[in-house]
Amino acid sequence: MDRLTPPELAAPLARYVHGIAVDMPGRLLFSSGQLAIAKDGSVPDGIDAQCDLIFANLDAILKNAGMNRANVVRVNAFVLDRADFKPYMAARDRWFEGFPPPASTLMMVGAFTRPEFRVEIEIVAAREGA
């Protein structure tokens, strides 16, 4: 995998890269958007707790696919409020600490399916090899 930050572009605004090129064969994982729902159905309060739960759930998805955070090539995140940007980015950066940064997109949305949700996160991961 080549992590791309072309010198012709402005540097990324945070800890991510502009693109990732993956030569195949290999394995790709596309997660569904993950909301902060614990196994018991509970939803934690606040953006920080919701991000932590979602990233833990993404770890489980990666493990189930035989991958880990080093395989993540893209993160798409959706937050409810502009005030959620910095806490989300801090949680994302903690999750990737010690791992290569992914390509990343962060968007603000008007609502989620239930009013207690503050953030939704999806990933794309790639593993090289047959």
Side-chain angles (χ1 to χ4, degrees), residues 8 10 18 26 45-48 51 56 60 64 66 70 75 77 79 83 86 98 101 107 109 111 123 129:
E8 300 86 1
H18 286 300
D45 290 330
I47 185 74
D48 294 319
C51 285
N64 194 257
V75 175
V79 296
K86 284 187 180 183
M107 293 174 269
V109 297
I123 61 170

Side-chain angles (χ1 to χ4, degrees), residues 47-48 81-92 94 106:
I47 185 74
D48 294 319
D81 190 285
R82 189 170 302 280
D84 295 334
F85 279 21
K86 284 187 180 183
Y88 160 75
M89 289 189 298
R92 181 200 61 205
R94 280 191 311 274
L106 174 58

Side-chain angles (χ1 to χ4, degrees), residues 28-77:
L28 292 175
L29 164 69
F30 298 87
S31 81
S32 294
Q34 297 299 300
L35 295 161
I37 303 172
K39 189 170 182 173
D40 67 3
S42 64
V43 176
D45 290 330
I47 185 74
D48 294 319
Q50 289 195 15
C51 285
D52 289 345
L53 176 57
I54 291 168
F55 283 124
N57 290 345
L58 288 168
D59 275 331
I61 293 167
L62 287 164
K63 182 179 178 183
N64 194 257
M67 298 182 187
N68 63 46
R69 296 175 199 176
N71 298 108
V72 176
V73 296
R74 180 163 188 78
V75 175
N76 292 327

Side-chain angles (χ1 to χ4, degrees), residues 93-123:
D93 289 351
R94 280 191 311 274
W95 195 60
F96 281 107
E97 191 172 337
F99 294 93
S104 183
T105 298
L106 174 58
M107 293 174 269
M108 193 168 78
V109 297
F112 290 111
T113 55
R114 291 179 12 200
E116 63 266 41
F117 296 135
R118 308 281 315 161
V119 59
E120 183 170 348
I121 305 168
E122 61 188 29
I123 61 170

